[in-house]
Amino acid sequence: MYHFKQKSLQFLKPNSTIINSSKHFSNQTHLENVGPMASHLKTRSVIRFTGPETVKFLQGLVTNDVRRLSDPKAEDRSTLATTNVPFVSVPPVYGALLTPQGRFLYDMFLYRPPRADEKLDQTGSGPGPDPGELELFADVDGSELDELLQILKKYRLRSKVDIESVVDDFSCWQRFGQDLAQKSSEEPDAASLGWGGGFDRSGQSSSQGNTYGWQWYRDPRLDCLGFRGIFPSNTTPPLVEADKETNEENYLLWRLEKGVAEGSAEIPKGEAVPLEYNLAGLNGISFDKGCYIGQELIARTHHRGVIRKRLLPLKFVNDSGKEVEQKVAPRSEVIDASSGKKAGTITTALGSRGLGLLRLDEAFKGSLTIRGQDEVKVQAIKPEWWPAEWLLDQQEQTAAA
């Protein structure tokens, strides 16, 4: 679980100097006004899968349906062809690997990389050669890379799939900000390219990819998270200018305010129930794909419809409502001050923001505090992206009880 010491969270140009370390983004208004920014996700690593049984292998392991990666749909195809962006562009798939008991282990973003035969060659005269076998890439938690590789190779058995780390060759990036939080599959910066008032689709396509064909994709979890991508480590991703690159902690703060956890440090490995951490609402679980490891508990919990605790974004304030910094640590207990009853647990904390797994019947009472720290008040925030039925189901359960 993450707990970050006092640091500046200013949006800084690379190699710039922090003049006043006491200034940082500590409220939602500042972040909402931030334009497009990009972060190199140094906490993430990349794994490559190759072989004729790659999709079959992953289909039996992860919570989401990965078959689309090998069978593009009509909407994944474009009539536009350029030398750096393929005319087949399959969105990434977000999912998780679970224990046999249905507890969270690792999350991953699965990408179908650009194929040479699905884009123009460098001469622009026609498609490149057929690469043959399917290749997939996974954006995974870097701190769990070695262990994850061991588990994947253990499950491989006789499957015709090769698994390797390409951490030195590829890097993970995220573009986020208010301008990127709107629902669109296209980058707003890319969409603005063209001559005069016209619209240059070729220019737009070229701006979203690079000479290798790698490109930005809408984050498969939520539109408000922006765009995500894997790019060769020796290149700068398209649309990333020097003054638009920012520290990864700023992306973490952006996620915290949206109520989205990522990685085994924020989603406790071997403990977390994926539905309580909202993976279904984050497009991370398919309920009709068939069997995978840990599927039984997920399906049973989903169909019963009883989820009493959920991960929520939190704000830490004092008695006057002013945000307080670095006062709360992960694993701190959240209690109802009026009754002393435990409402939940802090899972992640950064500045005056955090995430907590709280009981829904206690979360929004307005009298929450930290056990042993009565001066710190906890405000639970309902994310805008939450389905309305999540709270309605809880209200019905409470009324029935």
PDB file of all heavy atoms in Angstrom, residues 63 96 98-99 101-105 261 266-280 285 294 297-302 306-311 357:
ATOM      1  N   THR A  63      -9.347 -12.042 -15.889  1.00  0.00           N
ATOM      2  CA  THR A  63     -10.768 -11.822 -15.627  1.00  0.00           C
ATOM      3  C   THR A  63     -11.545 -11.304 -16.831  1.00  0.00           C
ATOM      4  O   THR A  63     -12.769 -11.374 -16.848  1.00  0.00           O
ATOM      5  CB  THR A  63     -10.939 -10.823 -14.479  1.00  0.00           C
ATOM      6  OG1 THR A  63     -10.229  -9.606 -14.803  1.00  0.00           O
ATOM      7  CG2 THR A  63     -10.383 -11.385 -13.177  1.00  0.00           C
ATOM      8  N   ALA A  96      -7.354  -8.730 -14.674  1.00  0.00           N
ATOM      9  CA  ALA A  96      -6.573  -9.094 -13.497  1.00  0.00           C
ATOM     10  C   ALA A  96      -6.374 -10.598 -13.440  1.00  0.00           C
ATOM     11  O   ALA A  96      -7.153 -11.374 -14.007  1.00  0.00           O
ATOM     12  CB  ALA A  96      -7.266  -8.602 -12.229  1.00  0.00           C
ATOM     13  N   LEU A  98      -6.164 -13.662 -10.695  1.00  0.00           N
ATOM     14  CA  LEU A  98      -6.667 -13.910  -9.348  1.00  0.00           C
ATOM     15  C   LEU A  98      -6.097 -15.190  -8.756  1.00  0.00           C
ATOM     16  O   LEU A  98      -5.551 -16.034  -9.467  1.00  0.00           O
ATOM     17  CB  LEU A  98      -8.203 -13.999  -9.358  1.00  0.00           C
ATOM     18  CG  LEU A  98      -8.981 -12.899 -10.082  1.00  0.00           C
ATOM     19  CD1 LEU A  98     -10.475 -13.183  -9.977  1.00  0.00           C
ATOM     20  CD2 LEU A  98      -8.643 -11.519  -9.528  1.00  0.00           C
ATOM     21  N   THR A  99      -6.277 -15.337  -7.442  1.00  0.00           N
ATOM     22  CA  THR A  99      -5.981 -16.612  -6.793  1.00  0.00           C
ATOM     23  C   THR A  99      -7.120 -17.574  -7.103  1.00  0.00           C
ATOM     24  O   THR A  99      -8.207 -17.158  -7.538  1.00  0.00           O
ATOM     25  CB  THR A  99      -5.878 -16.439  -5.273  1.00  0.00           C
ATOM     26  OG1 THR A  99      -7.193 -16.128  -4.746  1.00  0.00           O
ATOM     27  CG2 THR A  99      -4.912 -15.325  -4.894  1.00  0.00           C
ATOM     28  N   GLN A 101      -9.041 -18.757  -5.109  1.00  0.00           N
ATOM     29  CA  GLN A 101     -10.144 -18.357  -4.236  1.00  0.00           C
ATOM     30  C   GLN A 101     -10.790 -17.044  -4.663  1.00  0.00           C
ATOM     31  O   GLN A 101     -11.681 -16.530  -3.976  1.00  0.00           O
ATOM     32  CB  GLN A 101      -9.643 -18.226  -2.785  1.00  0.00           C
ATOM     33  CG  GLN A 101      -9.180 -19.541  -2.165  1.00  0.00           C
ATOM     34  CD  GLN A 101      -7.814 -19.975  -2.691  1.00  0.00           C
ATOM     35  OE1 GLN A 101      -6.950 -19.140  -2.994  1.00  0.00           O
ATOM     36  NE2 GLN A 101      -7.612 -21.278  -2.811  1.00  0.00           N
ATOM     37  N   GLY A 102     -10.361 -16.495  -5.787  1.00  0.00           N
ATOM     38  CA  GLY A 102     -10.987 -15.288  -6.311  1.00  0.00           C
ATOM     39  C   GLY A 102     -10.467 -13.990  -5.730  1.00  0.00           C
ATOM     40  O   GLY A 102     -11.102 -12.946  -5.875  1.00  0.00           O
ATOM     41  N   ARG A 103      -9.295 -14.022  -5.095  1.00  0.00           N
ATOM     42  CA  ARG A 103      -8.691 -12.802  -4.560  1.00  0.00           C
ATOM     43  C   ARG A 103      -7.719 -12.209  -5.573  1.00  0.00           C
ATOM     44  O   ARG A 103      -7.089 -12.927  -6.360  1.00  0.00           O
ATOM     45  CB  ARG A 103      -7.952 -13.096  -3.251  1.00  0.00           C
ATOM     46  CG  ARG A 103      -8.821 -13.756  -2.191  1.00  0.00           C
ATOM     47  CD  ARG A 103      -9.827 -12.794  -1.614  1.00  0.00           C
ATOM     48  NE  ARG A 103     -10.752 -13.461  -0.685  1.00  0.00           N
ATOM     49  CZ  ARG A 103     -11.559 -12.821   0.154  1.00  0.00           C
ATOM     50  NH1 ARG A 103     -11.543 -11.493   0.174  1.00  0.00           N
ATOM     51  NH2 ARG A 103     -12.368 -13.486   0.950  1.00  0.00           N
ATOM     52  N   PHE A 104      -7.568 -10.906  -5.526  1.00  0.00           N
ATOM     53  CA  PHE A 104      -6.725 -10.189  -6.489  1.00  0.00           C
ATOM     54  C   PHE A 104      -5.254 -10.550  -6.323  1.00  0.00           C
ATOM     55  O   PHE A 104      -4.741 -10.656  -5.212  1.00  0.00           O
ATOM     56  CB  PHE A 104      -6.912  -8.687  -6.298  1.00  0.00           C
ATOM     57  CG  PHE A 104      -6.026  -7.837  -7.163  1.00  0.00           C
ATOM     58  CD1 PHE A 104      -6.441  -7.442  -8.422  1.00  0.00           C
ATOM     59  CD2 PHE A 104      -4.771  -7.434  -6.724  1.00  0.00           C
ATOM     60  CE1 PHE A 104      -5.631  -6.653  -9.228  1.00  0.00           C
ATOM     61  CE2 PHE A 104      -3.952  -6.651  -7.518  1.00  0.00           C
ATOM     62  CZ  PHE A 104      -4.379  -6.266  -8.768  1.00  0.00           C
ATOM     63  N   LEU A 105      -4.555 -10.718  -7.452  1.00  0.00           N
ATOM     64  CA  LEU A 105      -3.110 -10.887  -7.452  1.00  0.00           C
ATOM     65  C   LEU A 105      -2.411  -9.758  -8.211  1.00  0.00           C
ATOM     66  O   LEU A 105      -1.610  -9.021  -7.654  1.00  0.00           O
ATOM     67  CB  LEU A 105      -2.730 -12.242  -8.067  1.00  0.00           C
ATOM     68  CG  LEU A 105      -2.856 -13.472  -7.178  1.00  0.00           C
ATOM     69  CD1 LEU A 105      -2.512 -14.736  -7.961  1.00  0.00           C
ATOM     70  CD2 LEU A 105      -1.954 -13.352  -5.947  1.00  0.00           C
ATOM     71  N   ALA A 261      -7.839   2.531  -8.109  1.00  0.00           N
ATOM     72  CA  ALA A 261      -6.598   1.940  -7.629  1.00  0.00           C
ATOM     73  C   ALA A 261      -5.909   1.207  -8.773  1.00  0.00           C
ATOM     74  O   ALA A 261      -6.550   0.775  -9.725  1.00  0.00           O
ATOM     75  CB  ALA A 261      -6.883   0.971  -6.483  1.00  0.00           C
ATOM     76  N   GLU A 266      -1.738  -0.927  -4.248  1.00  0.00           N
ATOM     77  CA  GLU A 266      -2.991  -0.244  -3.931  1.00  0.00           C
ATOM     78  C   GLU A 266      -4.168  -1.205  -3.837  1.00  0.00           C
ATOM     79  O   GLU A 266      -5.181  -0.885  -3.209  1.00  0.00           O
ATOM     80  CB  GLU A 266      -3.281   0.820  -4.991  1.00  0.00           C
ATOM     81  CG  GLU A 266      -2.241   1.913  -5.066  1.00  0.00           C
ATOM     82  CD  GLU A 266      -2.513   2.890  -6.197  1.00  0.00           C
ATOM     83  OE1 GLU A 266      -3.686   3.162  -6.498  1.00  0.00           O
ATOM     84  OE2 GLU A 266      -1.541   3.364  -6.783  1.00  0.00           O
ATOM     85  N   ILE A 267      -4.050  -2.358  -4.485  1.00  0.00           N
ATOM     86  CA  ILE A 267      -5.077  -3.399  -4.407  1.00  0.00           C
ATOM     87  C   ILE A 267      -4.390  -4.592  -3.736  1.00  0.00           C
ATOM     88  O   ILE A 267      -3.646  -5.315  -4.398  1.00  0.00           O
ATOM     89  CB  ILE A 267      -5.609  -3.788  -5.805  1.00  0.00           C
ATOM     90  CG1 ILE A 267      -5.973  -2.541  -6.610  1.00  0.00           C
ATOM     91  CG2 ILE A 267      -6.815  -4.710  -5.679  1.00  0.00           C
ATOM     92  CD1 ILE A 267      -6.394  -2.842  -8.052  1.00  0.00           C
ATOM     93  N   PRO A 268      -4.598  -4.788  -2.439  1.00  0.00           N
ATOM     94  CA  PRO A 268      -3.800  -5.758  -1.670  1.00  0.00           C
ATOM     95  C   PRO A 268      -3.789  -7.154  -2.286  1.00  0.00           C
ATOM     96  O   PRO A 268      -4.835  -7.773  -2.473  1.00  0.00           O
ATOM     97  CB  PRO A 268      -4.468  -5.754  -0.298  1.00  0.00           C
ATOM     98  CG  PRO A 268      -5.104  -4.409  -0.200  1.00  0.00           C
ATOM     99  CD  PRO A 268      -5.572  -4.083  -1.582  1.00  0.00           C
ATOM    100  N   LYS A 269      -2.599  -7.612  -2.583  1.00  0.00           N
ATOM    101  CA  LYS A 269      -2.405  -8.909  -3.231  1.00  0.00           C
ATOM    102  C   LYS A 269      -2.795 -10.043  -2.287  1.00  0.00           C
ATOM    103  O   LYS A 269      -2.368 -10.103  -1.147  1.00  0.00           O
ATOM    104  CB  LYS A 269      -0.950  -9.051  -3.657  1.00  0.00           C
ATOM    105  CG  LYS A 269      -0.630 -10.298  -4.445  1.00  0.00           C
ATOM    106  CD  LYS A 269       0.797 -10.277  -4.941  1.00  0.00           C
ATOM    107  CE  LYS A 269       1.782 -10.326  -3.792  1.00  0.00           C
ATOM    108  NZ  LYS A 269       3.175 -10.422  -4.249  1.00  0.00           N
ATOM    109  N   GLY A 270      -3.626 -10.948  -2.800  1.00  0.00           N
ATOM    110  CA  GLY A 270      -4.049 -12.096  -2.016  1.00  0.00           C
ATOM    111  C   GLY A 270      -5.150 -11.802  -1.024  1.00  0.00           C
ATOM    112  O   GLY A 270      -5.631 -12.709  -0.342  1.00  0.00           O
ATOM    113  N   GLU A 271      -5.587 -10.531  -0.931  1.00  0.00           N
ATOM    114  CA  GLU A 271      -6.624 -10.138   0.028  1.00  0.00           C
ATOM    115  C   GLU A 271      -7.838  -9.513  -0.640  1.00  0.00           C
ATOM    116  O   GLU A 271      -8.982  -9.802  -0.263  1.00  0.00           O
ATOM    117  CB  GLU A 271      -6.050  -9.130   1.037  1.00  0.00           C
ATOM    118  CG  GLU A 271      -4.868  -9.613   1.840  1.00  0.00           C
ATOM    119  CD  GLU A 271      -4.324  -8.520   2.737  1.00  0.00           C
ATOM    120  OE1 GLU A 271      -5.024  -7.499   2.932  1.00  0.00           O
ATOM    121  OE2 GLU A 271      -3.189  -8.665   3.244  1.00  0.00           O
ATOM    122  N   ALA A 272      -7.589  -8.640  -1.595  1.00  0.00           N
ATOM    123  CA  ALA A 272      -8.663  -7.826  -2.155  1.00  0.00           C
ATOM    124  C   ALA A 272      -9.662  -8.647  -2.960  1.00  0.00           C
ATOM    125  O   ALA A 272      -9.286  -9.512  -3.754  1.00  0.00           O
ATOM    126  CB  ALA A 272      -8.080  -6.728  -3.034  1.00  0.00           C
ATOM    127  N   VAL A 273     -10.953  -8.346  -2.755  1.00  0.00           N
ATOM    128  CA  VAL A 273     -12.025  -8.898  -3.572  1.00  0.00           C
ATOM    129  C   VAL A 273     -12.222  -7.947  -4.756  1.00  0.00           C
ATOM    130  O   VAL A 273     -12.544  -6.770  -4.556  1.00  0.00           O
ATOM    131  CB  VAL A 273     -13.330  -9.029  -2.768  1.00  0.00           C
ATOM    132  CG1 VAL A 273     -14.469  -9.526  -3.663  1.00  0.00           C
ATOM    133  CG2 VAL A 273     -13.142  -9.958  -1.580  1.00  0.00           C
ATOM    134  N   PRO A 274     -12.008  -8.388  -5.982  1.00  0.00           N
ATOM    135  CA  PRO A 274     -12.041  -7.482  -7.133  1.00  0.00           C
ATOM    136  C   PRO A 274     -13.309  -6.636  -7.244  1.00  0.00           C
ATOM    137  O   PRO A 274     -13.235  -5.461  -7.622  1.00  0.00           O
ATOM    138  CB  PRO A 274     -11.905  -8.432  -8.329  1.00  0.00           C
ATOM    139  CG  PRO A 274     -11.123  -9.583  -7.780  1.00  0.00           C
ATOM    140  CD  PRO A 274     -11.617  -9.758  -6.375  1.00  0.00           C
ATOM    141  N   LEU A 275     -14.464  -7.191  -6.909  1.00  0.00           N
ATOM    142  CA  LEU A 275     -15.702  -6.422  -7.028  1.00  0.00           C
ATOM    143  C   LEU A 275     -15.756  -5.298  -5.999  1.00  0.00           C
ATOM    144  O   LEU A 275     -16.356  -4.257  -6.251  1.00  0.00           O
ATOM    145  CB  LEU A 275     -16.911  -7.338  -6.883  1.00  0.00           C
ATOM    146  CG  LEU A 275     -17.075  -8.381  -7.995  1.00  0.00           C
ATOM    147  CD1 LEU A 275     -18.307  -9.241  -7.756  1.00  0.00           C
ATOM    148  CD2 LEU A 275     -17.158  -7.719  -9.364  1.00  0.00           C
ATOM    149  N   GLU A 276     -15.147  -5.477  -4.829  1.00  0.00           N
ATOM    150  CA  GLU A 276     -15.101  -4.408  -3.836  1.00  0.00           C
ATOM    151  C   GLU A 276     -14.182  -3.277  -4.280  1.00  0.00           C
ATOM    152  O   GLU A 276     -14.370  -2.129  -3.876  1.00  0.00           O
ATOM    153  CB  GLU A 276     -14.645  -4.964  -2.491  1.00  0.00           C
ATOM    154  CG  GLU A 276     -15.642  -5.911  -1.846  1.00  0.00           C
ATOM    155  CD  GLU A 276     -15.195  -6.427  -0.493  1.00  0.00           C
ATOM    156  OE1 GLU A 276     -13.990  -6.252  -0.150  1.00  0.00           O
ATOM    157  OE2 GLU A 276     -16.031  -6.999   0.237  1.00  0.00           O
ATOM    158  N   TYR A 277     -13.204  -3.616  -5.106  1.00  0.00           N
ATOM    159  CA  TYR A 277     -12.298  -2.601  -5.647  1.00  0.00           C
ATOM    160  C   TYR A 277     -12.766  -2.102  -7.017  1.00  0.00           C
ATOM    161  O   TYR A 277     -12.009  -1.485  -7.758  1.00  0.00           O
ATOM    162  CB  TYR A 277     -10.874  -3.150  -5.710  1.00  0.00           C
ATOM    163  CG  TYR A 277     -10.191  -3.103  -4.354  1.00  0.00           C
ATOM    164  CD1 TYR A 277     -10.542  -3.991  -3.350  1.00  0.00           C
ATOM    165  CD2 TYR A 277      -9.230  -2.138  -4.067  1.00  0.00           C
ATOM    166  CE1 TYR A 277      -9.942  -3.941  -2.098  1.00  0.00           C
ATOM    167  CE2 TYR A 277      -8.627  -2.076  -2.822  1.00  0.00           C
ATOM    168  CZ  TYR A 277      -8.982  -2.978  -1.844  1.00  0.00           C
ATOM    169  OH  TYR A 277      -8.383  -2.911  -0.592  1.00  0.00           O
ATOM    170  N   ASN A 278     -14.021  -2.391  -7.334  1.00  0.00           N
ATOM    171  CA  ASN A 278     -14.732  -1.802  -8.479  1.00  0.00           C
ATOM    172  C   ASN A 278     -14.195  -2.214  -9.839  1.00  0.00           C
ATOM    173  O   ASN A 278     -14.383  -1.497 -10.829  1.00  0.00           O
ATOM    174  CB  ASN A 278     -14.735  -0.264  -8.372  1.00  0.00           C
ATOM    175  CG  ASN A 278     -15.306   0.229  -7.064  1.00  0.00           C
ATOM    176  OD1 ASN A 278     -16.239  -0.361  -6.513  1.00  0.00           O
ATOM    177  ND2 ASN A 278     -14.745   1.295  -6.538  1.00  0.00           N
ATOM    178  N   LEU A 279     -13.552  -3.378  -9.937  1.00  0.00           N
ATOM    179  CA  LEU A 279     -13.007  -3.787 -11.221  1.00  0.00           C
ATOM    180  C   LEU A 279     -14.086  -4.019 -12.275  1.00  0.00           C
ATOM    181  O   LEU A 279     -13.835  -3.853 -13.470  1.00  0.00           O
ATOM    182  CB  LEU A 279     -12.148  -5.040 -11.059  1.00  0.00           C
ATOM    183  CG  LEU A 279     -10.632  -4.771 -10.962  1.00  0.00           C
ATOM    184  CD1 LEU A 279     -10.322  -4.024  -9.656  1.00  0.00           C
ATOM    185  CD2 LEU A 279      -9.830  -6.048 -11.042  1.00  0.00           C
ATOM    186  N   ALA A 280     -15.294  -4.385 -11.850  1.00  0.00           N
ATOM    187  CA  ALA A 280     -16.381  -4.555 -12.817  1.00  0.00           C
ATOM    188  C   ALA A 280     -16.751  -3.209 -13.444  1.00  0.00           C
ATOM    189  O   ALA A 280     -16.978  -3.110 -14.650  1.00  0.00           O
ATOM    190  CB  ALA A 280     -17.594  -5.193 -12.151  1.00  0.00           C
ATOM    191  N   ILE A 285     -13.698  -6.925 -15.829  1.00  0.00           N
ATOM    192  CA  ILE A 285     -14.237  -8.269 -15.622  1.00  0.00           C
ATOM    193  C   ILE A 285     -15.310  -8.557 -16.655  1.00  0.00           C
ATOM    194  O   ILE A 285     -16.209  -7.739 -16.880  1.00  0.00           O
ATOM    195  CB  ILE A 285     -14.833  -8.417 -14.201  1.00  0.00           C
ATOM    196  CG1 ILE A 285     -13.759  -8.191 -13.137  1.00  0.00           C
ATOM    197  CG2 ILE A 285     -15.470  -9.796 -14.023  1.00  0.00           C
ATOM    198  CD1 ILE A 285     -14.299  -8.214 -11.717  1.00  0.00           C
ATOM    199  N   GLY A 294     -10.252 -18.403 -10.403  1.00  0.00           N
ATOM    200  CA  GLY A 294     -10.927 -17.529  -9.454  1.00  0.00           C
ATOM    201  C   GLY A 294     -12.308 -17.085  -9.881  1.00  0.00           C
ATOM    202  O   GLY A 294     -12.960 -16.304  -9.183  1.00  0.00           O
ATOM    203  N   LEU A 297     -15.931 -17.461  -7.415  1.00  0.00           N
ATOM    204  CA  LEU A 297     -16.301 -16.480  -6.396  1.00  0.00           C
ATOM    205  C   LEU A 297     -16.802 -15.193  -7.035  1.00  0.00           C
ATOM    206  O   LEU A 297     -17.787 -14.603  -6.567  1.00  0.00           O
ATOM    207  CB  LEU A 297     -15.104 -16.177  -5.502  1.00  0.00           C
ATOM    208  CG  LEU A 297     -15.330 -15.063  -4.471  1.00  0.00           C
ATOM    209  CD1 LEU A 297     -16.371 -15.489  -3.445  1.00  0.00           C
ATOM    210  CD2 LEU A 297     -14.030 -14.670  -3.783  1.00  0.00           C
ATOM    211  N   ILE A 298     -16.160 -14.758  -8.096  1.00  0.00           N
ATOM    212  CA  ILE A 298     -16.566 -13.517  -8.763  1.00  0.00           C
ATOM    213  C   ILE A 298     -17.990 -13.642  -9.293  1.00  0.00           C
ATOM    214  O   ILE A 298     -18.827 -12.753  -9.088  1.00  0.00           O
ATOM    215  CB  ILE A 298     -15.599 -13.188  -9.920  1.00  0.00           C
ATOM    216  CG1 ILE A 298     -14.174 -13.006  -9.401  1.00  0.00           C
ATOM    217  CG2 ILE A 298     -16.064 -11.937 -10.650  1.00  0.00           C
ATOM    218  CD1 ILE A 298     -14.014 -11.900  -8.403  1.00  0.00           C
ATOM    219  N   ALA A 299     -18.282 -14.740  -9.967  1.00  0.00           N
ATOM    220  CA  ALA A 299     -19.617 -14.929 -10.540  1.00  0.00           C
ATOM    221  C   ALA A 299     -20.673 -15.025  -9.445  1.00  0.00           C
ATOM    222  O   ALA A 299     -21.753 -14.431  -9.553  1.00  0.00           O
ATOM    223  CB  ALA A 299     -19.632 -16.192 -11.400  1.00  0.00           C
ATOM    224  N   ARG A 300     -20.372 -15.771  -8.394  1.00  0.00           N
ATOM    225  CA  ARG A 300     -21.345 -15.937  -7.313  1.00  0.00           C
ATOM    226  C   ARG A 300     -21.652 -14.598  -6.623  1.00  0.00           C
ATOM    227  O   ARG A 300     -22.821 -14.261  -6.371  1.00  0.00           O
ATOM    228  CB  ARG A 300     -20.812 -16.946  -6.297  1.00  0.00           C
ATOM    229  CG  ARG A 300     -21.804 -17.261  -5.175  1.00  0.00           C
ATOM    230  CD  ARG A 300     -21.374 -18.468  -4.357  1.00  0.00           C
ATOM    231  NE  ARG A 300     -20.121 -18.219  -3.634  1.00  0.00           N
ATOM    232  CZ  ARG A 300     -18.982 -18.837  -3.892  1.00  0.00           C
ATOM    233  NH1 ARG A 300     -18.900 -19.719  -4.886  1.00  0.00           N
ATOM    234  NH2 ARG A 300     -17.896 -18.581  -3.184  1.00  0.00           N
ATOM    235  N   THR A 301     -20.604 -13.819  -6.325  1.00  0.00           N
ATOM    236  CA  THR A 301     -20.806 -12.524  -5.674  1.00  0.00           C
ATOM    237  C   THR A 301     -21.574 -11.569  -6.572  1.00  0.00           C
ATOM    238  O   THR A 301     -22.466 -10.848  -6.121  1.00  0.00           O
ATOM    239  CB  THR A 301     -19.442 -11.905  -5.293  1.00  0.00           C
ATOM    240  OG1 THR A 301     -18.706 -12.835  -4.496  1.00  0.00           O
ATOM    241  CG2 THR A 301     -19.625 -10.618  -4.519  1.00  0.00           C
ATOM    242  N   HIS A 302     -21.245 -11.587  -7.849  1.00  0.00           N
ATOM    243  CA  HIS A 302     -21.914 -10.683  -8.799  1.00  0.00           C
ATOM    244  C   HIS A 302     -23.398 -11.000  -8.909  1.00  0.00           C
ATOM    245  O   HIS A 302     -24.242 -10.089  -8.871  1.00  0.00           O
ATOM    246  CB  HIS A 302     -21.247 -10.800 -10.166  1.00  0.00           C
ATOM    247  CG  HIS A 302     -21.969 -10.090 -11.259  1.00  0.00           C
ATOM    248  ND1 HIS A 302     -22.051  -8.713 -11.344  1.00  0.00           N
ATOM    249  CD2 HIS A 302     -22.666 -10.578 -12.338  1.00  0.00           C
ATOM    250  CE1 HIS A 302     -22.738  -8.382 -12.408  1.00  0.00           C
ATOM    251  NE2 HIS A 302     -23.128  -9.478 -13.028  1.00  0.00           N
ATOM    252  N   VAL A 306     -24.680  -8.652  -3.654  1.00  0.00           N
ATOM    253  CA  VAL A 306     -24.443  -8.142  -2.310  1.00  0.00           C
ATOM    254  C   VAL A 306     -22.979  -7.728  -2.178  1.00  0.00           C
ATOM    255  O   VAL A 306     -22.098  -8.559  -1.991  1.00  0.00           O
ATOM    256  CB  VAL A 306     -24.788  -9.198  -1.240  1.00  0.00           C
ATOM    257  CG1 VAL A 306     -24.537  -8.641   0.154  1.00  0.00           C
ATOM    258  CG2 VAL A 306     -26.235  -9.651  -1.391  1.00  0.00           C
ATOM    259  N   ILE A 307     -22.736  -6.439  -2.314  1.00  0.00           N
ATOM    260  CA  ILE A 307     -21.392  -5.892  -2.147  1.00  0.00           C
ATOM    261  C   ILE A 307     -21.517  -4.745  -1.141  1.00  0.00           C
ATOM    262  O   ILE A 307     -21.957  -3.647  -1.483  1.00  0.00           O
ATOM    263  CB  ILE A 307     -20.811  -5.402  -3.485  1.00  0.00           C
ATOM    264  CG1 ILE A 307     -20.786  -6.560  -4.487  1.00  0.00           C
ATOM    265  CG2 ILE A 307     -19.403  -4.828  -3.284  1.00  0.00           C
ATOM    266  CD1 ILE A 307     -20.374  -6.156  -5.877  1.00  0.00           C
ATOM    267  N   ARG A 308     -21.139  -5.005   0.075  1.00  0.00           N
ATOM    268  CA  ARG A 308     -21.362  -4.051   1.166  1.00  0.00           C
ATOM    269  C   ARG A 308     -20.235  -3.041   1.319  1.00  0.00           C
ATOM    270  O   ARG A 308     -20.426  -1.993   1.945  1.00  0.00           O
ATOM    271  CB  ARG A 308     -21.573  -4.810   2.479  1.00  0.00           C
ATOM    272  CG  ARG A 308     -22.829  -5.674   2.491  1.00  0.00           C
ATOM    273  CD  ARG A 308     -23.069  -6.301   3.859  1.00  0.00           C
ATOM    274  NE  ARG A 308     -24.355  -6.986   3.904  1.00  0.00           N
ATOM    275  CZ  ARG A 308     -24.555  -8.242   3.546  1.00  0.00           C
ATOM    276  NH1 ARG A 308     -23.524  -8.955   3.092  1.00  0.00           N
ATOM    277  NH2 ARG A 308     -25.749  -8.788   3.616  1.00  0.00           N
ATOM    278  N   LYS A 309     -19.067  -3.358   0.794  1.00  0.00           N
ATOM    279  CA  LYS A 309     -17.914  -2.449   0.883  1.00  0.00           C
ATOM    280  C   LYS A 309     -17.417  -2.120  -0.518  1.00  0.00           C
ATOM    281  O   LYS A 309     -17.450  -2.964  -1.401  1.00  0.00           O
ATOM    282  CB  LYS A 309     -16.777  -3.102   1.682  1.00  0.00           C
ATOM    283  CG  LYS A 309     -17.096  -3.386   3.127  1.00  0.00           C
ATOM    284  CD  LYS A 309     -15.878  -3.951   3.849  1.00  0.00           C
ATOM    285  CE  LYS A 309     -15.524  -5.333   3.334  1.00  0.00           C
ATOM    286  NZ  LYS A 309     -14.375  -5.915   4.065  1.00  0.00           N
ATOM    287  N   ARG A 310     -16.965  -0.904  -0.702  1.00  0.00           N
ATOM    288  CA  ARG A 310     -16.375  -0.509  -1.975  1.00  0.00           C
ATOM    289  C   ARG A 310     -15.229   0.480  -1.736  1.00  0.00           C
ATOM    290  O   ARG A 310     -15.199   1.186  -0.723  1.00  0.00           O
ATOM    291  CB  ARG A 310     -17.418   0.125  -2.904  1.00  0.00           C
ATOM    292  CG  ARG A 310     -18.392  -0.878  -3.508  1.00  0.00           C
ATOM    293  CD  ARG A 310     -19.171  -0.280  -4.650  1.00  0.00           C
ATOM    294  NE  ARG A 310     -20.138  -1.207  -5.216  1.00  0.00           N
ATOM    295  CZ  ARG A 310     -19.864  -2.104  -6.162  1.00  0.00           C
ATOM    296  NH1 ARG A 310     -18.627  -2.174  -6.646  1.00  0.00           N
ATOM    297  NH2 ARG A 310     -20.806  -2.899  -6.623  1.00  0.00           N
ATOM    298  N   LEU A 311     -14.332   0.528  -2.707  1.00  0.00           N
ATOM    299  CA  LEU A 311     -13.236   1.486  -2.661  1.00  0.00           C
ATOM    300  C   LEU A 311     -13.768   2.866  -3.037  1.00  0.00           C
ATOM    301  O   LEU A 311     -14.456   3.021  -4.047  1.00  0.00           O
ATOM    302  CB  LEU A 311     -12.139   1.071  -3.638  1.00  0.00           C
ATOM    303  CG  LEU A 311     -10.816   1.827  -3.493  1.00  0.00           C
ATOM    304  CD1 LEU A 311     -10.084   1.377  -2.237  1.00  0.00           C
ATOM    305  CD2 LEU A 311      -9.945   1.614  -4.726  1.00  0.00           C
ATOM    306  N   LEU A 357     -11.308   1.509   1.618  1.00  0.00           N
ATOM    307  CA  LEU A 357     -12.341   0.484   1.457  1.00  0.00           C
ATOM    308  C   LEU A 357     -13.323   0.657   2.603  1.00  0.00           C
ATOM    309  O   LEU A 357     -13.021   0.342   3.750  1.00  0.00           O
ATOM    310  CB  LEU A 357     -11.702  -0.908   1.485  1.00  0.00           C
ATOM    311  CG  LEU A 357     -12.634  -2.083   1.176  1.00  0.00           C
ATOM    312  CD1 LEU A 357     -13.153  -2.010  -0.255  1.00  0.00           C
ATOM    313  CD2 LEU A 357     -11.926  -3.410   1.416  1.00  0.00           C
TER     314      LEU A 357
END
